[in-house]
Amino acid sequence: MIEITNTHVFAELVTERLALLIATQRYGRKPWRKKRVAEYITGSEEIKGSVSATTIGRLLTPDYPQQPSDETLVAVAQFLIIMGALSERQLELLAEAPVFQPLGALESLFGMKDAEGQRDFLRELAGRYRCLRAANDQLLTLDLLVSFVPEAKALSVIEAQVLYSMPDPSDLRARTGGFDPNMVAVVERDIARKVLAERGTLITAGTALASPDILAFLHTSGRGGYPSIFSAETLIYGEAGAVMQMSGRRNCGWSGEESFPKKIDGSLPAYEVIKALARDLEYHRPLVRKELEIQPPVSKPSEEDRDFAPAARTSGEALGKAAFEIAAAQASSLDARLSLALEWGELAAFEDALNQGANPNLLPAGETDPLIFQLADHGRRGWIDALIASGRCDLTVVDRQGLRPSHTPGVYARRIATSGLAPDLARQFAALSSQLLDETIRQLGGDPATLERDDTENLI
């Protein structure tokens, strides 16, 4: 019997291999369906355990709000190995790097004990936190999802940072009470109405080292670099005893830089703006100001942040457009223009470069995997749509671990859905993962309609 580590990474690998088998292979001249897979597993003498068609459907749905059982994953993995769709070596590679292994060494270093009080503290920290940062006509929204993992005695962290250009900064500032995180619904409505234009996205994930004396979120963003550590220097508790607000500083840790430019506007590439605005953060749980009766911050900028004061929106946009056009004009090739458009958050220019013949499968500088992996890891849906629309993006490719572009968004969807913290965000990642997997299946000559995923709208 094979051994597994029941993680979202493992579940997503098994799911992807199962989906490919169902959609592209036949058995005894008949196509696979989830019912047929369930019947084979249940009736096989080689496979221990049984599964139902309903269980298979849930497994195929990344945002289903319940992690599959050990028995289900073992049975499906055994089935895939018998069918040649999965190798035991692939499972060994995943088992060799458990998610929380680095955290154990840090716990030993700081002499942290596994006591019930420590676990209570971790439970208090778990939750969904939000932050808004603005400078001139640039707005950064941050969503921090922290969930307690009892078996690992640790916290699991996912952070989504999305940068937008604001057409009227003073109006949005007034409608959100100076970009109060508790007014994020106002921002979300503007996003839905396309009032705010998305420039860039950075998704990070990791674990957290936490005790009453030290709290640090250890982030990695997959491909493209940008590891970081957010150290929480201040915690504020609500009446119920749970942490309602945290503030601190992010270790720069981005591309070896030691400082960030203070002038934040559209004349900087999108990633530079994200890194600068995300340096010092103040995260809030919803309604924190109401519970703690904290007064909104005075809108007048401090001496340190004088360059963050609102400016005429046309100046930042004009400077940014001019700077990008100069850089694009000096680009040595269409591929270089494609990379520049991504760096600056210029989607139209990105699409134009693809239409003119830029390579949608190019390797970003310093990377070993094609661009589609980086975009999938960061959840950049519009840019992925552009690559797929080119008709030349190869989604059958795998990375060094044998994983496909749909893998990381699927892992995020499962982690968030299981935590129950942000079902809307889980659905977004699940939709992206399904889109990439469906396109992979089409390129392999299969039919995605055979997957029979469950509808999670009423389950989460």
Side-chain angles (χ1 to χ4, degrees), residues 131 133 142 144 159 161 214-219 227-235 246-254 257-260 262 275-283 302 304-305 308:
C131 178
R133 295 296 309 278
L142 301 99
L144 185 71
E159 182 184 53
Q161 306 174 52
I214 181 172
L215 173 56
F217 297 117
L218 314 177
H219 293 276
S228 66
I229 300 175
F230 172 66
S231 298
E233 299 169 356
T234 303
L235 298 180
M246 66 175 74
S247 61
R249 173 167 295 194
R250 185 187 300 275
N251 180 310
C252 60
W254 276 308
E257 296 178 8
E258 295 181 358
S259 62
F260 294 113
K262 281 191 175 182
K275 290 185 287 184
L277 290 180
R279 181 73 180 275
D280 300 296
L281 299 174
E282 187 176 273
Y283 273 111
S302 65
E304 180 181 357
D305 290 340
F308 279 43

mmCIF file of all heavy atoms in Angstrom, residues 131 133 142 144 159 161 214-219 227-235 246-254 257-260 262 275-283 302 304-305 308:
data_model
loop_
_atom_site.group_PDB
_atom_site.id
_atom_site.type_symbol
_atom_site.label_atom_id
_atom_site.label_comp_id
_atom_site.label_asym_id
_atom_site.label_seq_id
_atom_site.Cartn_x
_atom_site.Cartn_y
_atom_site.Cartn_z
ATOM 1 N N CYS A 131 -6.180 44.964 3.979
ATOM 2 C CA CYS A 131 -5.377 46.180 4.036
ATOM 3 C C CYS A 131 -5.532 46.914 2.705
ATOM 4 O O CYS A 131 -5.636 46.292 1.651
ATOM 5 C CB CYS A 131 -3.908 45.824 4.281
ATOM 6 S SG CYS A 131 -2.791 47.238 4.313
ATOM 7 N N ARG A 133 -3.675 50.206 0.617
ATOM 8 C CA ARG A 133 -2.597 51.209 0.575
ATOM 9 C C ARG A 133 -2.744 52.008 -0.707
ATOM 10 O O ARG A 133 -3.014 51.442 -1.776
ATOM 11 C CB ARG A 133 -1.216 50.545 0.592
ATOM 12 C CG ARG A 133 -0.864 49.793 1.850
ATOM 13 C CD ARG A 133 -0.760 50.686 3.078
ATOM 14 N NE ARG A 133 0.089 51.835 2.895
ATOM 15 C CZ ARG A 133 1.426 51.820 2.998
ATOM 16 N NH1 ARG A 133 2.054 50.685 3.262
ATOM 17 N NH2 ARG A 133 2.127 52.913 2.835
ATOM 18 N N LEU A 142 -4.908 44.312 -0.352
ATOM 19 C CA LEU A 142 -4.248 43.125 0.179
ATOM 20 C C LEU A 142 -5.233 42.318 0.998
ATOM 21 O O LEU A 142 -5.972 42.862 1.820
ATOM 22 C CB LEU A 142 -3.045 43.507 1.051
ATOM 23 C CG LEU A 142 -1.953 44.323 0.357
ATOM 24 C CD1 LEU A 142 -2.111 45.805 0.695
ATOM 25 C CD2 LEU A 142 -0.570 43.866 0.787
ATOM 26 N N LEU A 144 -5.199 38.918 3.386
ATOM 27 C CA LEU A 144 -4.372 37.939 4.073
ATOM 28 C C LEU A 144 -5.270 36.879 4.700
ATOM 29 O O LEU A 144 -6.122 37.196 5.531
ATOM 30 C CB LEU A 144 -3.529 38.623 5.157
ATOM 31 C CG LEU A 144 -2.520 37.744 5.893
ATOM 32 C CD1 LEU A 144 -1.361 37.385 4.980
ATOM 33 C CD2 LEU A 144 -2.003 38.456 7.141
ATOM 34 N N GLU A 159 -1.605 35.231 0.747
ATOM 35 C CA GLU A 159 -1.807 36.671 0.629
ATOM 36 C C GLU A 159 -1.978 37.027 -0.844
ATOM 37 O O GLU A 159 -1.175 36.624 -1.687
ATOM 38 C CB GLU A 159 -0.618 37.433 1.219
ATOM 39 C CG GLU A 159 -0.781 38.946 1.170
ATOM 40 C CD GLU A 159 0.461 39.662 1.678
ATOM 41 O OE1 GLU A 159 1.564 39.360 1.166
ATOM 42 O OE2 GLU A 159 0.334 40.523 2.562
ATOM 43 N N GLN A 161 -2.201 40.241 -3.375
ATOM 44 C CA GLN A 161 -1.978 41.671 -3.539
ATOM 45 C C GLN A 161 -2.343 42.047 -4.980
ATOM 46 O O GLN A 161 -1.793 41.492 -5.925
ATOM 47 C CB GLN A 161 -0.517 42.022 -3.291
ATOM 48 C CG GLN A 161 0.018 41.527 -1.953
ATOM 49 C CD GLN A 161 1.506 41.771 -1.806
ATOM 50 O OE1 GLN A 161 1.980 42.889 -2.007
ATOM 51 N NE2 GLN A 161 2.247 40.732 -1.477
ATOM 52 N N ILE A 214 6.933 36.538 19.301
ATOM 53 C CA ILE A 214 7.372 36.701 17.922
ATOM 54 C C ILE A 214 6.259 36.257 16.986
ATOM 55 O O ILE A 214 5.582 35.267 17.234
ATOM 56 C CB ILE A 214 8.656 35.882 17.639
ATOM 57 C CG1 ILE A 214 9.095 36.090 16.183
ATOM 58 C CG2 ILE A 214 8.470 34.406 17.946
ATOM 59 C CD1 ILE A 214 10.457 35.484 15.878
ATOM 60 N N LEU A 215 6.038 37.033 15.943
ATOM 61 C CA LEU A 215 5.047 36.689 14.923
ATOM 62 C C LEU A 215 5.601 37.098 13.568
ATOM 63 O O LEU A 215 5.822 38.282 13.308
ATOM 64 C CB LEU A 215 3.720 37.406 15.188
ATOM 65 C CG LEU A 215 2.641 37.281 14.115
ATOM 66 C CD1 LEU A 215 2.337 35.825 13.829
ATOM 67 C CD2 LEU A 215 1.386 38.020 14.531
ATOM 68 N N ALA A 216 5.851 36.112 12.727
ATOM 69 C CA ALA A 216 6.394 36.394 11.398
ATOM 70 C C ALA A 216 5.734 35.479 10.374
ATOM 71 O O ALA A 216 5.675 34.266 10.560
ATOM 72 C CB ALA A 216 7.911 36.189 11.380
ATOM 73 N N PHE A 217 5.226 36.073 9.303
ATOM 74 C CA PHE A 217 4.657 35.311 8.203
ATOM 75 C C PHE A 217 5.740 35.109 7.151
ATOM 76 O O PHE A 217 6.329 36.082 6.656
ATOM 77 C CB PHE A 217 3.470 36.053 7.593
ATOM 78 C CG PHE A 217 2.324 36.238 8.535
ATOM 79 C CD1 PHE A 217 1.917 37.503 8.926
ATOM 80 C CD2 PHE A 217 1.651 35.139 9.043
ATOM 81 C CE1 PHE A 217 0.859 37.669 9.798
ATOM 82 C CE2 PHE A 217 0.592 35.298 9.920
ATOM 83 C CZ PHE A 217 0.199 36.568 10.305
ATOM 84 N N LEU A 218 6.020 33.869 6.831
ATOM 85 C CA LEU A 218 7.067 33.547 5.873
ATOM 86 C C LEU A 218 6.416 33.328 4.509
ATOM 87 O O LEU A 218 5.686 32.357 4.314
ATOM 88 C CB LEU A 218 7.819 32.296 6.324
ATOM 89 C CG LEU A 218 8.218 32.256 7.805
ATOM 90 C CD1 LEU A 218 8.887 30.931 8.143
ATOM 91 C CD2 LEU A 218 9.123 33.422 8.148
ATOM 92 N N HIS A 219 6.671 34.229 3.565
ATOM 93 C CA HIS A 219 6.004 34.199 2.268
ATOM 94 C C HIS A 219 6.958 33.754 1.160
ATOM 95 O O HIS A 219 8.125 34.116 1.134
ATOM 96 C CB HIS A 219 5.505 35.601 1.885
ATOM 97 C CG HIS A 219 4.411 36.115 2.752
ATOM 98 N ND1 HIS A 219 3.094 35.806 2.560
ATOM 99 C CD2 HIS A 219 4.440 36.935 3.831
ATOM 100 C CE1 HIS A 219 2.357 36.416 3.467
ATOM 101 N NE2 HIS A 219 3.152 37.103 4.257
ATOM 102 N N PRO A 227 10.530 36.358 -2.471
ATOM 103 C CA PRO A 227 10.241 35.844 -1.129
ATOM 104 C C PRO A 227 10.233 37.009 -0.147
ATOM 105 O O PRO A 227 10.849 38.046 -0.396
ATOM 106 C CB PRO A 227 11.427 34.906 -0.861
ATOM 107 C CG PRO A 227 12.542 35.503 -1.644
ATOM 108 C CD PRO A 227 11.911 36.082 -2.885
ATOM 109 N N SER A 228 9.533 36.882 0.949
ATOM 110 C CA SER A 228 9.525 37.970 1.920
ATOM 111 C C SER A 228 9.082 37.451 3.280
ATOM 112 O O SER A 228 8.552 36.358 3.403
ATOM 113 C CB SER A 228 8.582 39.090 1.473
ATOM 114 O OG SER A 228 7.245 38.648 1.464
ATOM 115 N N ILE A 229 9.332 38.267 4.293
ATOM 116 C CA ILE A 229 8.890 37.975 5.656
ATOM 117 C C ILE A 229 8.151 39.201 6.169
ATOM 118 O O ILE A 229 8.667 40.316 6.121
ATOM 119 C CB ILE A 229 10.079 37.666 6.591
ATOM 120 C CG1 ILE A 229 10.860 36.449 6.094
ATOM 121 C CG2 ILE A 229 9.580 37.437 8.014
ATOM 122 C CD1 ILE A 229 12.109 36.170 6.904
ATOM 123 N N PHE A 230 6.931 39.001 6.650
ATOM 124 C CA PHE A 230 6.194 40.087 7.277
ATOM 125 C C PHE A 230 6.232 39.869 8.784
ATOM 126 O O PHE A 230 5.683 38.895 9.297
ATOM 127 C CB PHE A 230 4.745 40.127 6.782
ATOM 128 C CG PHE A 230 3.883 41.105 7.527
ATOM 129 C CD1 PHE A 230 4.118 42.467 7.439
ATOM 130 C CD2 PHE A 230 2.855 40.674 8.345
ATOM 131 C CE1 PHE A 230 3.342 43.374 8.131
ATOM 132 C CE2 PHE A 230 2.058 41.569 9.049
ATOM 133 C CZ PHE A 230 2.303 42.928 8.937
ATOM 134 N N SER A 231 6.903 40.745 9.480
ATOM 135 C CA SER A 231 6.995 40.651 10.936
ATOM 136 C C SER A 231 5.948 41.577 11.557
ATOM 137 O O SER A 231 5.964 42.784 11.319
ATOM 138 C CB SER A 231 8.389 41.060 11.419
ATOM 139 O OG SER A 231 9.359 40.191 10.885
ATOM 140 N N ALA A 232 5.031 41.017 12.334
ATOM 141 C CA ALA A 232 4.000 41.806 12.987
ATOM 142 C C ALA A 232 4.575 42.392 14.275
ATOM 143 O O ALA A 232 4.955 41.660 15.184
ATOM 144 C CB ALA A 232 2.779 40.955 13.283
ATOM 145 N N GLU A 233 4.644 43.710 14.335
ATOM 146 C CA GLU A 233 5.226 44.383 15.492
ATOM 147 C C GLU A 233 4.176 44.775 16.530
ATOM 148 O O GLU A 233 4.487 44.981 17.697
ATOM 149 C CB GLU A 233 5.977 45.628 15.016
ATOM 150 C CG GLU A 233 7.123 45.286 14.051
ATOM 151 C CD GLU A 233 7.694 46.514 13.379
ATOM 152 O OE1 GLU A 233 7.163 47.618 13.600
ATOM 153 O OE2 GLU A 233 8.665 46.369 12.614
ATOM 154 N N THR A 234 2.904 44.889 16.100
ATOM 155 C CA THR A 234 1.837 45.300 17.018
ATOM 156 C C THR A 234 0.596 44.461 16.766
ATOM 157 O O THR A 234 0.191 44.277 15.618
ATOM 158 C CB THR A 234 1.484 46.789 16.818
ATOM 159 O OG1 THR A 234 2.650 47.580 16.994
ATOM 160 C CG2 THR A 234 0.423 47.210 17.826
ATOM 161 N N LEU A 235 -0.004 43.948 17.829
ATOM 162 C CA LEU A 235 -1.271 43.225 17.745
ATOM 163 C C LEU A 235 -2.290 43.938 18.626
ATOM 164 O O LEU A 235 -1.973 44.360 19.735
ATOM 165 C CB LEU A 235 -1.116 41.779 18.231
ATOM 166 C CG LEU A 235 -0.164 40.864 17.463
ATOM 167 C CD1 LEU A 235 -0.161 39.480 18.107
ATOM 168 C CD2 LEU A 235 -0.552 40.767 16.004
ATOM 169 N N MET A 246 -3.323 43.944 13.104
ATOM 170 C CA MET A 246 -1.883 43.744 13.216
ATOM 171 C C MET A 246 -1.165 44.705 12.286
ATOM 172 O O MET A 246 -1.644 45.016 11.195
ATOM 173 C CB MET A 246 -1.493 42.303 12.902
ATOM 174 C CG MET A 246 -1.731 41.861 11.469
ATOM 175 S SD MET A 246 -1.113 40.185 11.146
ATOM 176 C CE MET A 246 -2.355 39.201 11.995
ATOM 177 N N SER A 247 -0.051 45.193 12.736
ATOM 178 C CA SER A 247 0.748 46.081 11.904
ATOM 179 C C SER A 247 2.206 45.685 12.015
ATOM 180 O O SER A 247 2.632 45.123 13.026
ATOM 181 C CB SER A 247 0.557 47.546 12.332
ATOM 182 O OG SER A 247 0.971 47.719 13.683
ATOM 183 N N GLY A 248 2.952 45.941 10.970
ATOM 184 C CA GLY A 248 4.363 45.581 10.977
ATOM 185 C C GLY A 248 5.026 45.919 9.666
ATOM 186 O O GLY A 248 4.484 46.671 8.851
ATOM 187 N N ARG A 249 6.182 45.327 9.464
ATOM 188 C CA ARG A 249 6.991 45.663 8.287
ATOM 189 C C ARG A 249 7.404 44.405 7.563
ATOM 190 O O ARG A 249 7.735 43.398 8.177
ATOM 191 C CB ARG A 249 8.228 46.458 8.707
ATOM 192 C CG ARG A 249 9.208 46.717 7.580
ATOM 193 C CD ARG A 249 10.237 47.750 7.959
ATOM 194 N NE ARG A 249 9.626 49.047 8.188
ATOM 195 C CZ ARG A 249 10.312 50.187 8.267
ATOM 196 N NH1 ARG A 249 11.627 50.169 8.154
ATOM 197 N NH2 ARG A 249 9.700 51.328 8.468
ATOM 198 N N ARG A 250 7.383 44.497 6.239
ATOM 199 C CA ARG A 250 7.805 43.391 5.395
ATOM 200 C C ARG A 250 9.301 43.527 5.097
ATOM 201 O O ARG A 250 9.762 44.583 4.658
ATOM 202 C CB ARG A 250 7.010 43.410 4.090
ATOM 203 C CG ARG A 250 7.285 42.227 3.179
ATOM 204 C CD ARG A 250 6.589 42.416 1.845
ATOM 205 N NE ARG A 250 5.147 42.539 1.986
ATOM 206 C CZ ARG A 250 4.317 41.515 2.053
ATOM 207 N NH1 ARG A 250 4.785 40.285 1.976
ATOM 208 N NH2 ARG A 250 3.033 41.694 2.182
ATOM 209 N N ASN A 251 10.042 42.462 5.370
ATOM 210 C CA ASN A 251 11.442 42.415 4.962
ATOM 211 C C ASN A 251 11.490 42.592 3.465
ATOM 212 O O ASN A 251 10.787 41.918 2.723
ATOM 213 C CB ASN A 251 12.032 41.060 5.357
ATOM 214 C CG ASN A 251 13.484 40.917 4.977
ATOM 215 O OD1 ASN A 251 13.862 41.176 3.848
ATOM 216 N ND2 ASN A 251 14.289 40.484 5.920
ATOM 217 N N CYS A 252 12.315 43.526 2.972
ATOM 218 C CA CYS A 252 12.291 43.827 1.535
ATOM 219 C C CYS A 252 12.500 42.552 0.731
ATOM 220 O O CYS A 252 11.662 42.175 -0.050
ATOM 221 C CB CYS A 252 13.295 44.899 1.163
ATOM 222 S SG CYS A 252 15.008 44.519 1.509
ATOM 223 N N GLY A 253 13.602 41.850 0.918
ATOM 224 C CA GLY A 253 13.802 40.526 0.368
ATOM 225 C C GLY A 253 13.432 40.328 -1.086
ATOM 226 O O GLY A 253 13.347 39.200 -1.560
ATOM 227 N N TRP A 254 13.161 41.402 -1.815
ATOM 228 C CA TRP A 254 12.733 41.293 -3.206
ATOM 229 C C TRP A 254 13.908 41.612 -4.120
ATOM 230 O O TRP A 254 14.391 42.750 -4.171
ATOM 231 C CB TRP A 254 11.592 42.270 -3.504
ATOM 232 C CG TRP A 254 10.250 41.760 -3.138
ATOM 233 C CD1 TRP A 254 9.702 40.578 -3.493
ATOM 234 C CD2 TRP A 254 9.279 42.424 -2.330
ATOM 235 N NE1 TRP A 254 8.436 40.460 -2.976
ATOM 236 C CE2 TRP A 254 8.149 41.574 -2.261
ATOM 237 C CE3 TRP A 254 9.231 43.648 -1.679
ATOM 238 C CZ2 TRP A 254 6.997 41.912 -1.569
ATOM 239 C CZ3 TRP A 254 8.087 43.975 -0.986
ATOM 240 C CH2 TRP A 254 6.990 43.116 -0.929
ATOM 241 N N GLU A 257 16.977 43.913 -3.243
ATOM 242 C CA GLU A 257 16.938 45.357 -3.051
ATOM 243 C C GLU A 257 16.945 45.707 -1.567
ATOM 244 O O GLU A 257 16.362 45.009 -0.746
ATOM 245 C CB GLU A 257 15.686 45.938 -3.707
ATOM 246 C CG GLU A 257 15.665 45.753 -5.219
ATOM 247 C CD GLU A 257 14.393 46.305 -5.820
ATOM 248 O OE1 GLU A 257 13.628 46.953 -5.087
ATOM 249 O OE2 GLU A 257 14.166 46.077 -7.017
ATOM 250 N N GLU A 258 17.592 46.806 -1.230
ATOM 251 C CA GLU A 258 17.656 47.238 0.156
ATOM 252 C C GLU A 258 16.754 48.441 0.426
ATOM 253 O O GLU A 258 16.515 48.789 1.563
ATOM 254 C CB GLU A 258 19.103 47.594 0.525
ATOM 255 C CG GLU A 258 20.032 46.382 0.478
ATOM 256 C CD GLU A 258 21.455 46.732 0.878
ATOM 257 O OE1 GLU A 258 21.702 47.919 1.141
ATOM 258 O OE2 GLU A 258 22.299 45.829 0.925
ATOM 259 N N SER A 259 16.285 49.086 -0.624
ATOM 260 C CA SER A 259 15.420 50.245 -0.439
ATOM 261 C C SER A 259 14.448 50.341 -1.604
ATOM 262 O O SER A 259 14.696 49.799 -2.677
ATOM 263 C CB SER A 259 16.244 51.534 -0.340
ATOM 264 O OG SER A 259 16.961 51.745 -1.549
ATOM 265 N N PHE A 260 13.366 51.064 -1.374
ATOM 266 C CA PHE A 260 12.363 51.245 -2.412
ATOM 267 C C PHE A 260 12.281 52.725 -2.771
ATOM 268 O O PHE A 260 12.511 53.592 -1.936
ATOM 269 C CB PHE A 260 10.996 50.788 -1.924
ATOM 270 C CG PHE A 260 10.904 49.315 -1.671
ATOM 271 C CD1 PHE A 260 10.734 48.824 -0.401
ATOM 272 C CD2 PHE A 260 11.003 48.420 -2.726
ATOM 273 C CE1 PHE A 260 10.641 47.463 -0.166
ATOM 274 C CE2 PHE A 260 10.910 47.053 -2.498
ATOM 275 C CZ PHE A 260 10.736 46.585 -1.226
ATOM 276 N N LYS A 262 10.617 56.259 -3.193
ATOM 277 C CA LYS A 262 9.523 56.880 -2.445
ATOM 278 C C LYS A 262 8.454 57.455 -3.364
ATOM 279 O O LYS A 262 7.303 57.595 -2.975
ATOM 280 C CB LYS A 262 10.055 57.981 -1.529
ATOM 281 C CG LYS A 262 10.690 57.456 -0.253
ATOM 282 C CD LYS A 262 10.932 58.588 0.714
ATOM 283 C CE LYS A 262 11.450 58.054 2.053
ATOM 284 N NZ LYS A 262 11.645 59.150 3.025
ATOM 285 N N LYS A 275 5.691 46.331 -4.556
ATOM 286 C CA LYS A 275 6.718 46.101 -3.533
ATOM 287 C C LYS A 275 6.866 47.312 -2.615
ATOM 288 O O LYS A 275 7.069 47.167 -1.403
ATOM 289 C CB LYS A 275 8.048 45.763 -4.208
ATOM 290 C CG LYS A 275 8.045 44.390 -4.868
ATOM 291 C CD LYS A 275 9.399 44.021 -5.425
ATOM 292 C CE LYS A 275 9.729 44.798 -6.684
ATOM 293 N NZ LYS A 275 11.005 44.380 -7.279
ATOM 294 N N ALA A 276 6.741 48.507 -3.172
ATOM 295 C CA ALA A 276 6.892 49.706 -2.357
ATOM 296 C C ALA A 276 5.706 49.897 -1.416
ATOM 297 O O ALA A 276 5.879 50.177 -0.227
ATOM 298 C CB ALA A 276 7.049 50.922 -3.270
ATOM 299 N N LEU A 277 4.486 49.726 -1.933
ATOM 300 C CA LEU A 277 3.299 49.932 -1.110
ATOM 301 C C LEU A 277 3.123 48.840 -0.060
ATOM 302 O O LEU A 277 2.468 49.055 0.964
ATOM 303 C CB LEU A 277 2.053 49.998 -1.998
ATOM 304 C CG LEU A 277 1.907 51.243 -2.873
ATOM 305 C CD1 LEU A 277 0.625 51.169 -3.687
ATOM 306 C CD2 LEU A 277 1.914 52.512 -2.027
ATOM 307 N N ALA A 278 3.695 47.663 -0.299
ATOM 308 C CA ALA A 278 3.524 46.541 0.635
ATOM 309 C C ALA A 278 4.628 46.476 1.683
ATOM 310 O O ALA A 278 4.725 45.492 2.413
ATOM 311 C CB ALA A 278 3.470 45.225 -0.144
ATOM 312 N N ARG A 279 5.446 47.494 1.776
ATOM 313 C CA ARG A 279 6.567 47.467 2.731
ATOM 314 C C ARG A 279 6.064 47.546 4.174
ATOM 315 O O ARG A 279 6.388 46.720 5.010
ATOM 316 C CB ARG A 279 7.523 48.632 2.446
ATOM 317 C CG ARG A 279 8.743 48.677 3.364
ATOM 318 C CD ARG A 279 9.737 47.583 3.041
ATOM 319 N NE ARG A 279 10.887 47.630 3.898
ATOM 320 C CZ ARG A 279 11.965 48.395 3.696
ATOM 321 N NH1 ARG A 279 11.993 49.201 2.646
ATOM 322 N NH2 ARG A 279 12.984 48.363 4.512
ATOM 323 N N ASP A 280 5.271 48.568 4.479
ATOM 324 C CA ASP A 280 4.722 48.743 5.823
ATOM 325 C C ASP A 280 3.216 48.540 5.752
ATOM 326 O O ASP A 280 2.535 49.217 4.982
ATOM 327 C CB ASP A 280 5.033 50.139 6.366
ATOM 328 C CG ASP A 280 6.530 50.381 6.443
ATOM 329 O OD1 ASP A 280 7.189 49.671 7.214
ATOM 330 O OD2 ASP A 280 7.017 51.266 5.721
ATOM 331 N N LEU A 281 2.697 47.620 6.563
ATOM 332 C CA LEU A 281 1.302 47.230 6.437
ATOM 333 C C LEU A 281 0.555 47.323 7.764
ATOM 334 O O LEU A 281 1.143 47.183 8.833
ATOM 335 C CB LEU A 281 1.191 45.786 5.917
ATOM 336 C CG LEU A 281 1.795 45.516 4.547
ATOM 337 C CD1 LEU A 281 1.735 44.036 4.225
ATOM 338 C CD2 LEU A 281 1.077 46.310 3.484
ATOM 339 N N GLU A 282 -0.741 47.547 7.662
ATOM 340 C CA GLU A 282 -1.630 47.493 8.818
ATOM 341 C C GLU A 282 -2.856 46.694 8.404
ATOM 342 O O GLU A 282 -3.694 47.166 7.640
ATOM 343 C CB GLU A 282 -2.038 48.893 9.264
ATOM 344 C CG GLU A 282 -2.822 48.896 10.573
ATOM 345 C CD GLU A 282 -3.121 50.307 11.042
ATOM 346 O OE1 GLU A 282 -2.267 50.902 11.739
ATOM 347 O OE2 GLU A 282 -4.205 50.809 10.705
ATOM 348 N N TYR A 283 -2.926 45.462 8.874
ATOM 349 C CA TYR A 283 -4.008 44.563 8.507
ATOM 350 C C TYR A 283 -5.142 44.641 9.524
ATOM 351 O O TYR A 283 -4.905 44.721 10.724
ATOM 352 C CB TYR A 283 -3.498 43.114 8.447
ATOM 353 C CG TYR A 283 -2.925 42.729 7.113
ATOM 354 C CD1 TYR A 283 -1.566 42.489 6.959
ATOM 355 C CD2 TYR A 283 -3.751 42.577 6.013
ATOM 356 C CE1 TYR A 283 -1.047 42.116 5.736
ATOM 357 C CE2 TYR A 283 -3.235 42.203 4.775
ATOM 358 C CZ TYR A 283 -1.885 41.971 4.648
ATOM 359 O OH TYR A 283 -1.377 41.605 3.434
ATOM 360 N N SER A 302 2.315 62.044 6.607
ATOM 361 C CA SER A 302 3.419 62.290 7.528
ATOM 362 C C SER A 302 4.634 62.804 6.758
ATOM 363 O O SER A 302 4.677 62.805 5.536
ATOM 364 C CB SER A 302 3.786 60.996 8.247
ATOM 365 O OG SER A 302 4.290 60.056 7.310
ATOM 366 N N GLU A 304 7.486 61.379 6.563
ATOM 367 C CA GLU A 304 8.122 60.255 5.870
ATOM 368 C C GLU A 304 7.394 59.923 4.575
ATOM 369 O O GLU A 304 8.002 59.526 3.597
ATOM 370 C CB GLU A 304 8.124 59.023 6.779
ATOM 371 C CG GLU A 304 8.770 57.797 6.136
ATOM 372 C CD GLU A 304 8.727 56.584 7.047
ATOM 373 O OE1 GLU A 304 8.243 56.722 8.185
ATOM 374 O OE2 GLU A 304 9.159 55.511 6.611
ATOM 375 N N ASP A 305 6.052 60.108 4.563
ATOM 376 C CA ASP A 305 5.254 59.699 3.411
ATOM 377 C C ASP A 305 4.793 60.900 2.577
ATOM 378 O O ASP A 305 3.762 60.849 1.924
ATOM 379 C CB ASP A 305 4.025 58.914 3.871
ATOM 380 C CG ASP A 305 4.403 57.550 4.415
ATOM 381 O OD1 ASP A 305 5.504 57.096 4.092
ATOM 382 O OD2 ASP A 305 3.594 56.970 5.154
ATOM 383 N N PHE A 308 3.491 60.381 -0.829
ATOM 384 C CA PHE A 308 2.303 59.549 -1.004
ATOM 385 C C PHE A 308 1.044 60.417 -1.122
ATOM 386 O O PHE A 308 -0.046 59.905 -1.249
ATOM 387 C CB PHE A 308 2.130 58.599 0.182
ATOM 388 C CG PHE A 308 2.997 57.379 0.102
ATOM 389 C CD1 PHE A 308 4.308 57.477 -0.299
ATOM 390 C CD2 PHE A 308 2.495 56.136 0.425
ATOM 391 C CE1 PHE A 308 5.114 56.355 -0.384
ATOM 392 C CE2 PHE A 308 3.289 55.005 0.355
ATOM 393 C CZ PHE A 308 4.609 55.124 -0.046
#
